[in-house]
Amino acid sequence: MIIQLIEQILNGLVLGSIYALVASGLSLIWGSMKMLNFAHGELYMLGGFATYYAMTLLGLPWWLAIPLAMALVLLVGFGIEKLTIEPLLRRPGWDYTPIIATLGLSIFLQNAALLVFGERFKNLPYFIEGSGTYFGIRMAYQRLLILVVSVAVIVLFAQFLQRSKLGMALRAVAQDRDAATLQGIDVRGTYMWTFGISGALAALASAMVAPIFAINPWMGGTLLIKAFVVCVVGGLGDLRGAILGGILLGTAESLAVVLLSSEWKDVVSFAILIIVLWVRPSGFFGTKEW
Amino acid sequence: MLKVDAIDVFYGDAQALDGVSLQVHEGEIVTLVGSNGAGKTTTLRTLSGLLRPRKGAITISGTRLDKTPAHKVVSLGVAHVPEGRCLFPQMSVWENLTLGAYNTSAWNDRAEVMERVFRLFPVLKARSTQLSGTLSGGEQQMCAIGRALMARPKLLMLDEPSLGLAPNLVEMIFQVIAEINQSGITILLVEQNAYLALQMADRAYVLENGRVTLSGPGREVAANENVRQAYLGL
């Protein structure tokens, strides 16, 4: 029983790291643009399909297919911001329309994917076959890989925000747009990067779990809701919140599967959401800026 | 070097500036005085490109400032210390200063420029790893001026640098402004503390309800009967 519990907690961490990747992108967009992106789940979905076709049609190995998919979704993110968000932001008094536009974009991309890729679920083989047993705890190499890659990328992303010139600019825009402009930061340009980078992170998440969950046009929808829960629990606009919230939610869901049953998974995560909204509506880290 | 030619600025339908013209020559300290809501801050924000004039023109050394994207204004040598400082509160003093050099030729020399800022404000060096939101009011003002200096500006615009500071700090900030000016940087100063501002300014403009009502050498403006009554309380 103890062994099984530990295994489930480890599985929870794997799932949590995926949630953290997706939620940190949402959180980045909220932090710098103060808007929600309902099409974030579709960027996640596109990342999955891009990885699938890079591996099956182009025959690339996973470690080449994933960066390619991330780069592709980065460009899609740039395009979405440039073509749908920016023209709306230019109109004074249309402050909330970009959010609605992302909702429309989400529906459009889902149906476009259905048309182009078809409704059949697509599966990829494990990137690394087999599993290892450590101290009596069994763990598939694929899950270990997910954990290692996600943690590495999140650490890199945090370092990028902390130390790089662009990362500093993104944080500056999140804290004070006018002051950022006065320092010579092109705020509109950082919005494009915000969309692109958050999309690339979602694409990575999607690619890593593609061998475990099936790739399909609707895969983004449920995940997006989970990512919103993570953001609210952790505190919107805070990277630490997205990471901690992701881990918490992933672990709680995995434990619910073993302690209750798999149908209770979503009940547990939404119960957490309700409790957090009740006792601490601003999340673990409040709504502090980055 | 800076020439503002009859600009009209609106917030929606409300007119904030009405045909404001002013000039700043190289090496000068020029001050804008006037009561709350007269349009002083609006003038500076328009010069920085945060607001756009509906009419009129702004040129700096021959370049049309009002046609320049706001984020490129600083690279033309115009740095703005906004009202209320507007530091990045969740970032360290070092990060705030570094961002000051973001889009200018100063980026590659930022370590050297920062040393100069630290010589001007030694306290910033001691606080360089502290979050700027946790600084005292005076230190925040120093950090905001330091951040603007990081761009190696030709023209430094300061909006109410004495706001909310204790008298001894106000004096210190004004001394530093004089020092900055002596090092060759032109100053455009907006102040509610008209007495101090007029004393140090080469020239002054008085703004009332979005119009320039009086201009001239600082001491002359300070000697004007209306100004003495309205702004100096004499």
Side-chain angles (χ1 to χ4, degrees), chain A residues 205-222:
Chain A
S206 173
M208 296 302 295
V209 294
I212 299 177
F213 307 129
I215 303 163
N216 64 76
W218 309 279
M219 66 193 284
T222 36

Side-chain angles (χ1 to χ4, degrees), chain A residues 165 171 175 178-179 183-184, chain B residues 45 71 88 90 95 102-103:
Chain A
K165 192 178 178 186
R171 283 187 296 140
Q175 290 174 32
D178 279 356
Q183 312 317 313
Chain B
R45 286 175 67 85
H71 68 275
F88 304 113
Q90 302 294 321
E95 286 177 307
Y102 186 83
N103 193 17

Side-chain angles (χ1 to χ4, degrees), chain A residues 172-188:
Chain A
V173 170
Q175 290 174 32
D176 193 324
R177 281 183 213 184
D178 279 356
T181 306
L182 291 179
Q183 312 317 313
I185 296 168
D186 176 12
V187 172
R188 291 281 152 75

Side-chain angles (χ1 to χ4, degrees), chain A:
Chain A
M1 182 65 189
I2 292 292
I3 296 285
Q4 204 194 350
L5 265 180
I6 293 174
E7 279 180 3
Q8 271 315 99
I9 288 175
L10 283 172
N11 279 337
L13 288 179
V14 172
L15 189 62
S17 65
I18 294 299
Y19 287 162
L21 276 177
V22 178
S24 52
L26 270 185
S27 204
L28 181 71
I29 290 177
W30 175 265
S32 63
M33 304 175 70
K34 301 287 176 288
M35 65 170 274
L36 297 173
N37 177 18
F38 284 102
H40 196 58
E42 277 57 52
L43 292 175
Y44 171 85
M45 178 262 294
L46 287 179
F49 276 108
T51 311
Y52 176 80
Y53 286 113
M55 289 180 73
T56 55
L57 282 185
L58 302 180
L60 294 177
W62 61 272
W63 44 269
L64 270 180
I66 294 177
L68 186 71
M70 288 173 73
L72 207 70
V73 177
L74 182 90
L75 293 180
V76 172
F78 282 175
I80 288 177
E81 202 283 331
K82 201 83 202 150
L83 296 176
T84 64
I85 309 300
E86 191 172 327
L88 294 173
L89 287 176
R90 278 185 194 284
R91 299 177 177 227
W94 284 46
D95 300 347
Y96 294 100
T97 43
I99 299 182
I100 307 302
T102 65
L103 200 57
L105 202 65
S106 159
I107 298 167
F108 171 77
L109 286 174
Q110 264 186 31
N111 287 289
L114 184 63
L115 197 71
V116 177
F117 306 129
E119 79 287 339
R120 293 271 300 270
F121 284 32
K122 300 194 166 36
N123 279 296
L124 281 174
Y126 277 17
F127 299 150
I128 301 177
E129 290 290 343
S131 61
T133 308
Y134 313 92
F135 308 105
I137 298 158
R138 255 173 57 88
M139 187 140 177
Y141 288 138
Q142 177 70 31
R143 288 178 190 266
L144 212 56
L145 181 73
I146 294 175
L147 199 59
V148 170
V149 171
S150 316
V151 169
V153 168
I154 288 174
V155 168
L156 268 176
F157 178 55
Q159 290 297 311
F160 155 78
L161 281 177
Q162 211 57 41
R163 300 192 194 284
S164 73
K165 192 178 178 186
L166 179 60
M168 278 174 75
L170 292 180
R171 283 187 296 140
V173 170
Q175 290 174 32
D176 193 324
R177 281 183 213 184
D178 279 356
T181 306
L182 291 179
Q183 312 317 313
I185 296 168
D186 176 12
V187 172
R188 291 281 152 75
T190 63
Y191 287 172
M192 230 171 80
W193 278 106
T194 302
F195 257 76
I197 292 168
S198 71
L201 290 175
L204 172 72
S206 173
M208 296 302 295
V209 294
I212 299 177
F213 307 129
I215 303 163
N216 64 76
W218 309 279
M219 66 193 284
T222 36
L223 194 89
L224 184 72
I225 294 175
K226 292 291 167 60
F228 276 137
V229 175
V230 167
C231 282
V232 172
V233 169
L236 257 173
D238 194 291
L239 184 60
R240 290 167 308 166
I243 296 167
L244 204 70
I247 290 169
L248 180 86
L249 199 71
T251 317
E253 284 190 355
S254 293
L255 286 178
V257 169
V258 62
L259 296 177
L260 303 162
S261 81
S262 58
E263 291 96 65
W264 283 83
K265 205 174 84 167
D266 293 346
V267 178
V268 167
S269 48
F270 290 116
I272 291 177
L273 174 67
I274 291 165
I275 292 168
V276 168
L277 285 176
W278 197 356
V279 293
R280 198 175 157 76
S282 55
F284 295 148
F285 292 101
T287 43
K288 272 199 304 192
E289 320 290 284
W290 287 15

Side-chain angles (χ1 to χ4, degrees), chain B residues 125-136:
Chain B
K125 188 167 193 174
R127 300 255 188 275
S128 65
T129 56
Q130 201 173 315
L131 291 186
S132 72
T134 65
L135 297 176
S136 74

